[in-house]
Amino acid sequence: AYRSALGDAALSHEAMFYYSYGLLHAPDYRLRFADTLAKELPRLPVPTDRAIFDAFERAGRELAELHCGFESVEPFPVTLAQGDLRLINIPDPVVFWRVEKMRFGGKQGAYDRSVIHYNHNLTLTGVPLEAYDYVVNGKSAIEWVMEWQGVRTDTASGITKDANAYAREEKGDPRYPFDLLARVIAMSLRTREIVAALPSWQG
């Protein structure tokens, strides 16, 4: 169907995949089909304009590379309430970087999402609010990191999941949760830029 509509018999499945990934990030597409997308598998329109297809394919490729390779993204240059991190004395990195539960600044009902309390040693300030625009499954990517990078015990099983243990044992770096947060902030901002540049999916 795509090959016929676009007049390109050599159009690859890979190109169609990335076009679809780009289209699924289009704000106007998501808004128009919000109700359907919440209940069913997405139905993707076949474009007749090759320029529109190419724009979404390019954006889809960049988004996919960004999202799949989030651990290699250059971390966002966070600002800390404590000052320059390079000047902070860290006698025991395991203790210094340990995170129990990240939380926003402010109080319940009036949270300040520009502030993230990482642990008792570190507080991020000036987190760009537009970074929260990148939402995955109903929650911003930043909030997913805040939720899962910490220590939590499953009520039903009693099993404790400790992101600090994973950071030490699997990543070999106790500051991994902190850097992951900074990387996801950067990834979210870049995602927003790519999505903002998308054309209308209707051409």
Side-chain angles (χ1 to χ4, degrees), residues 3 13-14 19 34 43 51 97 102-103 107 128 139 150 157-158 163 166-167 172 184-185 194 200:
R3 288 169 177 165
H13 288 89
E14 183 181 87
Y19 160 79
R43 299 183 185 191
W97 293 107
M102 298 185 216
R103 57 185 177 82
K107 298 179 179 179
K139 189 181 300 183
S157 66
Y166 176 80
V184 169
I185 292 172
I194 297 169
S200 169

Side-chain angles (χ1 to χ4, degrees), residues 26-27 49 72-73 86 93 105 115 122 136 147 166 176 186 188-189 192:
D49 187 326
S72 61
V73 171
R86 294 169 298 181
V115 175
L122 299 169
V136 180
E147 180 176 334
Y166 176 80
Y176 172 78
S188 298
L189 290 170
R192 187 176 186 273

Side-chain angles (χ1 to χ4, degrees), residues 152-161:
R152 51 187 291 166
T153 300
D154 181 73
T155 305
S157 66
I159 296 174
T160 297
K161 296 180 180 179

Side-chain angles (χ1 to χ4, degrees), residues 14-28 50-68 134 187 190-201:
E14 183 181 87
M16 288 183 279
F17 171 82
Y18 288 120
Y19 160 79
S20 301
Y21 195 69
L23 178 64
L24 289 170
H25 284 81
D28 53 348
R50 183 57 188 256
I52 295 295
F53 178 90
D54 290 344
F56 278 101
E57 182 199 352
R58 285 193 301 272
R61 284 181 184 275
E62 188 171 356
L63 287 167
E65 290 176 6
L66 183 66
H67 298 160
C68 291
Y134 177 43
M187 180 200 69
R190 180 57 188 147
T191 295
R192 187 176 186 273
E193 291 174 3
I194 297 169
V195 169
L198 286 171
S200 169
W201 66 273

